[in-house]
Amino acid sequence: MYVVMGATGHVGGSVARALLAAGEAVTVVTRSAAKAEVWRHKGAEAAVVDVQDTPALTALFQKAERAFVLNPPASPALNTDVEERRTVQAILKALQGAALEKIVLQSTYGAQPGAHSGDLGVLYEFEEGARQLQTPLCVVRAAYYMSNWTFGLDAVRTSGVLETFLPASQKVPMVAPQDSGAVAAQLVRAPVSETGVYAVEGPEWYSPADVADVLGEVLNKSVRVASLPKNEWLAAYRRNGFSDDAAQSYAHMTEIFVTQAYDVPPAPLKGPTDLKTYFQQALTE
């Protein structure tokens, strides 16, 4: 049996669906009884568990052969640096109490040491903690998710403006969540000897201007880019419900992303889903 965390999200859901389609026995982890029931109708087992309930999570991992793990995002209204590290430690402790054949861990491009750099620092610590378990490990580092652009769709629809922290013409690696999930699902089922770090991005790099053009085409309206200068980033995060601590951390992560102050993988895996296909699918779901 394979345990899949985050199945109610884009990536974990893709992993669970791919494993079920391959005929594997899957148990998804969720905090929602209603969402658990949805997955049972799809053919999976479902465990209603809070990831900070280490004994319950340990018991679940002890029944599994392999696991796909990710760290759930904390509410931005809280101190995300503290909250997300708390869940990382709870998951690692639960994994330590199991005897899994293999772990596949979802991470991100740019994961690096840093106490206040959003997901980059948190997921780096997650990776390092998992390596210390001495269990065969695959780390999937995903590029910027195309799904992140959907959070601003209401504003785009009403105003025709796509707000971004990136310069309008700066191209960056992006990936459809389902493509990252497909790679993770393959690695979960792959031989135990298949380990290491796997970078995943889409078929090409895109800029915010490219995103605006594609959205304009899909939505059948004119869309323009509004790039926020660095001195407005904190206010923008706070305006969107981030606490002061979270805003500071995410602004630092944004600076790392915009300046590309991280190692770009030399030979990433290329997912098949381009930006237009992603939006066409996402907007009809």
Side-chain angles (χ1 to χ4, degrees):
M1 182 266 286
Y2 298 162
V3 167
V4 176
M5 298 185 67
T8 55
H10 294 294
V11 179
S14 295
V15 174
R17 286 190 293 271
L19 292 175
L20 288 171
E24 303 291 359
V26 176
T27 298
V28 302
V29 182
T30 177
R31 288 181 295 179
S32 166
K35 291 177 180 178
E37 194 59 32
V38 170
W39 276 104
R40 292 187 185 110
H41 284 297
K42 295 180 180 183
E45 295 295 324
V48 181
V49 175
D50 187 315
V51 296
Q52 294 196 39
D53 185 348
T54 299
L57 197 56
T58 300
L60 184 60
F61 285 142
Q62 287 174 338
K63 299 175 184 176
E65 298 170 46
R66 303 183 180 193
F68 169 79
V69 299
L70 52 69
N71 195 45
S75 166
L78 304 174
N79 185 332
T80 53
D81 289 329
V82 172
E83 296 299 321
E84 291 181 359
R85 281 175 170 82
R86 183 175 292 139
T87 54
V88 159
Q89 291 306 313
I91 295 166
L92 290 173
K93 186 175 181 181
L95 289 169
Q96 190 174 29
L100 293 165
E101 291 180 354
K102 188 177 189 180
I103 299 167
V104 176
L105 183 151
Q106 189 67 31
S107 189
T108 185
Y109 272 34
Q112 58 187 269
H116 306 291
S117 53
D119 289 343
L120 305 185
V122 172
L123 293 178
Y124 174 82
E125 292 175 21
F126 197 14
E127 289 183 19
E128 290 300 297
R131 290 187 181 98
Q132 293 173 16
L133 298 173
Q134 302 300 311
T135 301
L137 174 69
C138 292
V139 172
V140 179
R141 286 186 174 177
Y144 188 82
Y145 289 125
M146 294 175 183
S147 54
N148 289 335
W149 296 102
T150 63
F151 294 118
L153 277 181
D154 288 342
V156 171
R157 285 191 176 102
T158 56
S159 67
V161 176
L162 178 69
E163 191 174 89
T164 178
F165 299 105
L166 283 166
S169 61
Q170 182 177 343
K171 291 184 181 291
V172 297
M174 302 184 194
V175 67
Q178 65 266 30
D179 289 351
S180 183
V183 169
Q186 291 171 3
L187 292 171
V188 170
R189 300 183 73 227
V192 171
S193 58
E194 193 166 334
T195 60
V197 177
Y198 298 80
V200 188
E201 60 186 51
E204 59 182 295
W205 290 24
Y206 299 98
S207 68
D210 295 326
V211 176
D213 288 343
V214 171
L215 282 175
E217 186 176 352
V218 173
L219 297 173
N220 194 28
K221 69 176 298 173
S222 176
V223 179
R224 68 176 180 85
V225 177
S227 294
L228 296 174
K230 183 178 176 180
N231 63 1
E232 294 182 17
W233 291 355
L234 281 175
Y237 277 120
R238 290 174 180 136
R239 188 166 64 245
N240 284 282
F242 283 65
S243 69
D244 286 345
D245 289 319
Q248 293 280 353
S249 184
Y250 272 71
H252 184 209
M253 179 175 67
T254 300
E255 182 178 13
I256 293 170
F257 179 60
V258 170
T259 60
Q260 295 186 313
Y262 60 89
D263 294 332
V264 177
L269 300 173
K270 294 282 190 175
T273 308
D274 62 32
L275 195 61
K276 182 177 180 180
T277 300
Y278 175 75
F279 281 129
Q280 287 174 328
Q281 294 172 346
L283 296 180
T284 57
E285 290 178 349

